[in-house]
Amino acid sequence: MECARNKTEKVGVGCIMKKAQILIPKPGSRFQRVQCKECGEESVVYSHVSTTVACKACGNTLAEPTGSIAEINGKVLGSAE
Ligand SMILES: [Zn+2]
């Protein structure tokens, strides 16, 4: 959107830089296998959850959003990818 507007100004160097920034993937985000410490049920939890994730078996909180990497309230077994 901004690029189109900038066409009437200098050659869009700023546009190219903005595109490059968008292409950089979010570092460290991944799915993890988390074992509930209450009942042992295994769940797949995203590392950057935005809502609280509860165990599907017993309702114990498995992950809480913190603004960046979720706080995992259980045993992380490894990556789910
Ligand atoms: Zn549980």
Side-chain angles (χ1 to χ4, degrees):
M1 299 299 163
E2 290 172 44
C3 291
R5 244 181 280 141
N6 288 344
K7 267 181 183 172
T8 52
E9 298 171 30
K10 299 170 194 169
V11 190
V13 177
C15 291
I16 294 165
M17 290 180 77
K18 264 180 190 161
K19 263 185 187 169
Q21 281 179 353
I22 291 166
L23 286 173
I24 296 170
K26 196 175 183 180
S29 69
R30 63 191 188 279
F31 289 91
Q32 308 177 108
R33 283 158 55 224
V34 177
Q35 187 177 41
C36 175
K37 62 184 177 187
E38 295 295 324
C39 71
E41 181 76 19
E42 207 178 288
S43 300
V44 175
V45 178
Y46 183 53
S47 65
H48 288 63
V49 291
S50 54
T51 56
T52 300
V53 177
C55 173
K56 59 181 180 282
C58 73
N60 182 48
T61 301
L62 288 180
E64 288 181 89
T66 61
S68 56
I69 295 177
E71 195 179 310
I72 303 296
N73 187 26
K75 189 180 178 187
V76 178
L77 300 174
S79 172
E81 288 172 82

